[in-house]
Amino acid sequence: MPHSANPRIAIVGSGLCGALLAVYVGRAGYPVDLYERRPDPRSGKVVGGRSINLALSTRGLTALERVGLADEIMKIAVPMRGRMIHPQHGDLAYQPYDKDPSKAINSVSRAALNLLLIEAAAKLPNVRMHFDWRCVDADLDAPAVMLEHAETGESRRAEADIIIGADGAFSAIRGRMQKVDRFDYSQEYLAHGYKELHIPPKDGGGFRMEPNALHIWPRRSFMMIALPNPEGSFTCTCFWPWTGPNGFDRLRTSAEVEAYFREIFPDAVPLMPTLVEDYQRNPTSSLLTVRCGPWHYRDKVLILGDAAHAIVPFYGQGMNCAFEDCNVFGQLLDEARARAPRSAGDSGAIDWEALFARFYEARKRNADTVADLALHNFIEMRDHSGSRLFQLHKAWERTLHRWLPNWYTPLYTLVSFSNTPYADAVARAKEQTRIVNRVLAWAAAAVVGGLGVAAWLLMR
Amino acid sequence: MPHSANPRIAIVGSGLCGALLAVYVGRAGYPVDLYERRPDPRSGKVVGGRSINLALSTRGLTALERVGLADEIMKIAVPMRGRMIHPQHGDLAYQPYDKDPSKAINSVSRAALNLLLIEAAAKLPNVRMHFDWRCVDADLDAPAVMLEHAETGESRRAEADIIIGADGAFSAIRGRMQKVDRFDYSQEYLAHGYKELHIPPKDGGGFRMEPNALHIWPRRSFMMIALPNPEGSFTCTCFWPWTGPNGFDRLRTSAEVEAYFREIFPDAVPLMPTLVEDYQRNPTSSLLTVRCGPWHYRDKVLILGDAAHAIVPFYGQGMNCAFEDCNVFGQLLDEARARAPRSAGDSGAIDWEALFARFYEARKRNADTVADLALHNFIEMRDHSGSRLFQLHKAWERTLHRWLPNWYTPLYTLVSFSNTPYADAVARAKEQTRIVNRVLAWAAAAVVGGLGVAAWLLMR
């Protein structure tokens, strides 16, 4: 039976993706129930959870702009205009992200951004929020979600016409979809984990390093990075193997931690007064890539964001891609509504299964592409970003971009500073490289030929 | 706490892999509980389940021999010494599997083989069988399995020292392991499904086609195959796409089914008196590949067989690979027991976690290799086996194998008629091909050079 013109929509998860999606779907006028396992962040309790700051770039900003939230969020962002490379020995090296120094990715606090999105969703009269309810399972055919109260342990079954799972990399909704015949799925962990550390503001305030940069300590096969926070601190993240000579499991005692950092990250140690305590206290977490499909079950259930395509953090695109999901879903929903048959003042029922299928078709290849980009960029950041050849290559890309601004755009710029679909960005970058290499080969041949002619003239 | 010298072992699943493993582990003297969701096949009830016959080849036979079961099973097998190709138009073509016509893969009934293995396990005094108990979940840390009775619905928790999941492609034990941090997992479905059909014996008995062959109707991008059964019938299997011009979903009415078979499989139709009824009644099932790792959780839980590495059926290696798992596990168990520290007549406690890790290391690369081989062989069977070029290539391989029996062995022979680990077999086949191609290139160059010299001599 097709849905009515005004189906009830349950969104599972009020993280970054779920909260923004609630704004999109709520603004379209549908009655929305938003279920979240954590407590209401507006109550003042800490949201907690994953890494503390994130890089917001063009795709994410575009999705926020469409619902009028970009300006407010940019007020709490710290722009990062390039990479600051910290070698083990020697001087810092700065690499701008773009030929245009105003182009920046923006360090934002996950908690502050999430709070803002939840407030925006809660303002809509047709969006109801249900905090402290953890989704433990789903009945795809009803459809319904099985909920468990975080404090009382009470169990509840909540029905809806449509369920949208925005419940993250370990999605319970996806867990149930995995048991549907012909659902493809993979989860692949990195051999590296991550641990967060802290650089506080200067005594009396102010940043202890350049604030408008993403700091990288590339050490081949592993690295540390740091992103600025508005109040003057930095959040550092170590991306190290779990085991082996530079593995997390090698450092046991406080003395070992301190000695290791003094040797490998010598310029960072004086900036980290709580290094050893932070290292010992903070958890080491794993990094995974999730790919699956299809993302929907009939016209009843859809997954998006990390639930559909969790990626590793090295291109800074996880949140941006999830926000782009919301944007694309919103556009397709608007189109479907515009096409829907209308009757007597009714806004018209739409074909939700076709909408979900179109969304999957539009996003799947892009989600797969950005997953690959993110895995590849880990190698670029940790192995290559410290090398002189890499810095020359980046300078050459910026030069081409300056000379031929309408034709040549580096891949990093396409990914971070444009809304070109990820798959198209990669295809364009490959084509550019192919043509540049061909021109260079012709030029080299012309030079060699010219030298030959000159030599012949001279020797004649 | 390490296990005692005599840990209780629970095996989940008494399918082909679980039942044979129970024989191996039971013969080693451990107390074994075998849990199976289906009823006891010795009670006369039908075992049911998956495809009705299977190709038993050297690896499977070796594993059965090691526990003295091969001879009994070979009594109910029909040897298949080659492929019989049924083109859409034109004559049958026979392709022997090996230069030695006595080399054969053996068609056996899944139900009869399973019954025989269950009887062998039940004969061991330390093996207890529990039928009608479905494993729905596991507690990996206890460890324990959660069981549900198929008829009464009763729930039960069964503890053990070690749990071994041999519960197939949709393993509940693996489902629980998938939630352990850093467990890699993928399930990938084919765009093709399968449906079984039936060719009965001749009126008055006897086979309606050549019994000692695996029959293939290759039709590019899809196919039908047939395997002989001892009583004179054949089990046919259609491997077709789910959708599209040759898809299962295209044939709706009985008239459509009959017309399609008359056009595409004209020589089979007269042999299949119940074609239309079978087609309409039998289910269409999906085909998937499962890869994951690690296969164990501490010293508590292990998965093997399809639960660890389900593959598509096109190389006839799914059961053989699972039996080889049992064989390798048995060998490693024997080695660990021989090395175990002994005290006062005690057989000694072994390091089960190290044993599980060694098993994973020994088998993982081979399981990955056979998964790739099986996927690739689908293309070979359906797209190439009907072509003249393919038949020439196979004849050339057999010729090389005859000329250079100590050096050149075709990949099919290494996989089906040897116990060479799958990964080593593929590496060896690649090396052989590389050298043969180089020799051929030299030979071609020598011929061209010789012709050049001859021409020069003639023209002088």
Side-chain angles (χ1 to χ4, degrees), chain A residues 194-229:
Chain A
Y194 74 93
K195 185 190 280 288
E196 286 173 343
L197 301 171
H198 186 65
I199 294 177
K202 276 187 194 155
D203 299 335
F207 290 93
R208 289 179 188 235
M209 302 188 296
E210 165 59 45
N212 295 121
L214 191 156
H215 294 261
I216 310 179
W217 288 257
R219 294 295 179 268
R220 299 193 168 266
S221 84
F222 66 104
M223 67 178 180
M224 180 168 78
I225 67 169
L227 273 72
N229 297 309

Side-chain angles (χ1 to χ4, degrees), chain A residues 170 174 177-191 242-243 284-286, chain B residues 170 174 177-191 242-243 284-286:
Chain A
F170 302 100
R174 189 192 64 223
M177 284 169 73
Q178 198 194 306
K179 293 177 180 163
V180 174
D181 194 30
R182 290 196 276 152
F183 183 78
D184 284 333
Y185 175 73
S186 88
Q187 63 185 42
E188 210 177 335
Y189 284 86
L190 276 198
W242 288 91
T243 57
T284 311
S285 307
S286 52
Chain B
F170 302 99
R174 188 193 64 224
M177 286 170 72
Q178 198 194 308
K179 293 178 180 162
V180 173
D181 195 30
R182 292 194 274 154
F183 183 79
D184 286 332
Y185 175 73
S186 87
Q187 62 185 43
E188 208 175 337
Y189 284 87
L190 276 198
W242 288 91
T243 58
T284 312
S285 306
S286 52

